[in-house]
Amino acid sequence: MKIGIVCYPTYGGSGVVATELGKALAAQGHQIHFITYSQPVRLIEYHANIFFHEVVVSEYPLFQYEPYEVTLTSKMVDVAEHEGLDLLHVHYAIPHASAAYLAKQILKEKGINIPIVTTLHGTDITLVGKDPSFEPVISFSIQHSDAVTAVSESLKRDTYKHFKTNKEIKVIPNFICLDKYKPLNNCSRGAFAKESEKIIMHVSNFRKVKRIEDVVRIFRKLRSHINAKLILVGDGPERINVEHLCRELEVYNDTRFLGKVKNVEEVLAFADLFLLTSEHESFGLAALEAMAASVPVVSTNTGGIPEVNIHAKTGYLANVGDVESMAKFSLEILTNDELCVQMRANARQRAEEFSLEKILPAYMKVYEEVIKSK
Ligand code: GMT
């Protein structure tokens, strides 16, 4: 198949999933065309079946806001027509699903019928998308996609709750490439903590929705019981506030801000505990990545997280903002070696249920169905 993948190229989960999906499909012999505004961050190595088409937005003094969607739509039309794509798979509804709808109409006029698969990821529905300034366009584009998938049951429910659509939504959970997650790499660990110190880790795009201040507050509570270091991976708008809070709570010297890390599995390998304190999370790919690295997860119980992290098995869950419980659960794992070993094994075992090999056929089935009924 020749598949066009439209996604955000950045460190967000939707871009990561889209890129890993494209790479896996390319490895199976399909031809993949990424269409986005810069090279996806996880698209590092060269592959003969992978092509990247950059969407370059032109500046003009009249535009206060450059019309990205228009350029993106034109690029989709161009690539579909000249590369002979069989389908377009768009990740994150805004603005990819509506741009794809328009591209489909333009291609129809040219006698080309191309199916559109839309994958909903989270904030495109739960945070940004449901805003009245987006809602009519998102409802329309969901309704008129040839197939729609969501990354969790929770996101599927949220979509029906917030949007006017009766379109069938198929849940295809996010997946993980397990091969990348190797056993503990102890030599690098020493760069971050002493042998006697525990390593607490959080990975995110540092947006408000992640509630990283709760991570810092949990860490401060832990630090009064055990020797530990906090490693914060990622970057984004909240970083400056988080740094400020670390200084205010006097944990800055025990905290390392790593910034954006391309191969996150290399640092997850030496974590003892992963914290995910989000206000909302439609899946929680970061938690799954930690679990693949055999790291127990203490998280909030919001959105799709309970579909990934299992309470008292792969870690613990608590209500959003319940720093007290999350600190108590974390301490339980970090001070009980037997429990920790068991949870590490459970976390890895659970992650194996989301392996690429198990999830990829579900996407292939969707592709085959839309192509058959076009
Ligand atoms: O807001 C983010 O965390 C980024 C966002 C994205 O689209 O890149 O993440 C969403 O998609 C991920 C991949 O499917 C999910 O794992 C995240 O849970 C989801 N984020 C939220 O729902 C907040």
Side-chain angles (χ1 to χ4, degrees), residues 18-61:
T19 311
E20 295 296 347
L21 177 62
K23 284 174 9 184
L25 289 164
Q28 289 197 344
H30 301 286
Q31 201 180 88
I32 304 301
H33 294 264
F34 284 101
I35 304 171
T36 180
Y37 59 81
S38 69
Q39 171 120 352
V41 285
R42 290 267 181 117
L43 196 59
I44 306 161
E45 62 279 13
Y46 170 76
H47 195 293
N49 291 343
I50 297 181
F51 301 84
F52 167 53
H53 305 267
E54 189 173 339
V55 180
V56 183
V57 182
S58 46
E59 285 177 27
Y60 186 68

Side-chain angles (χ1 to χ4, degrees), residues 106-148:
I106 296 169
L107 286 160
K108 207 178 267 175
E109 299 261 294
K110 292 171 179 273
I112 299 166
N113 185 5
I114 188 155
I116 309 290
V117 177
T118 298
T119 291
L120 309 172
H121 280 273
T123 45
D124 46 351
I125 298 299
T126 57
L127 205 70
V128 196
K130 70 176 185 194
D131 186 288
S133 60
F134 288 115
E135 184 279 320
V137 176
I138 307 294
S139 291
F140 181 88
S141 345
I142 290 173
Q143 190 67 24
H144 292 279
S145 294
D146 294 279
V148 178

Side-chain angles (χ1 to χ4, degrees), residues 213 215-230 232 241-257:
E213 65 278 17
V215 170
V216 177
R217 291 183 198 286
I218 293 167
F219 179 65
R220 188 176 67 151
K221 284 180 184 293
L222 292 177
R223 252 257 328 258
S224 52
H225 294 93
I226 55 169
N227 293 325
K229 289 277 192 280
L230 175 63
L232 297 172
N241 295 335
V242 176
E243 286 185 12
H244 180 77
L245 184 66
C246 285
R247 280 189 280 269
E248 193 184 306
L249 298 184
E250 295 177 356
V251 293
Y252 191 82
N253 291 341
D254 285 325
T255 305
R256 278 281 296 270
F257 287 82

Side-chain angles (χ1 to χ4, degrees), residues 12-14 92 121-123 174 205 207 210 280-285:
S14 63
Y92 205 90
H121 280 273
T123 45
N174 286 333
N205 49 23
R207 303 229 171 93
K210 306 289 173 182
H280 193 86
E281 201 70 64
S282 287
F283 183 86
L285 186 64

Side-chain angles (χ1 to χ4, degrees), residues 7 66 89 104 125 128-129 176 209 249-250 256 278 353:
C7 63
E66 279 132 22
H89 186 176
K104 184 181 165 104
I125 298 299
V128 196
I176 195 96
V209 70
L249 298 184
E250 295 177 356
R256 278 281 296 270
S278 306
E353 290 173 37

Side-chain angles (χ1 to χ4, degrees), residues 75-102:
K75 187 61 101 180
M76 283 195 239
V77 170
D78 183 70
V79 176
E81 187 179 1
H82 296 111
E83 299 291 347
L85 297 185
D86 294 304
L87 67 99
L88 275 165
H89 186 176
V90 300
H91 291 260
Y92 205 90
I94 312 167
H96 301 154
S98 48
Y101 174 80
L102 183 55

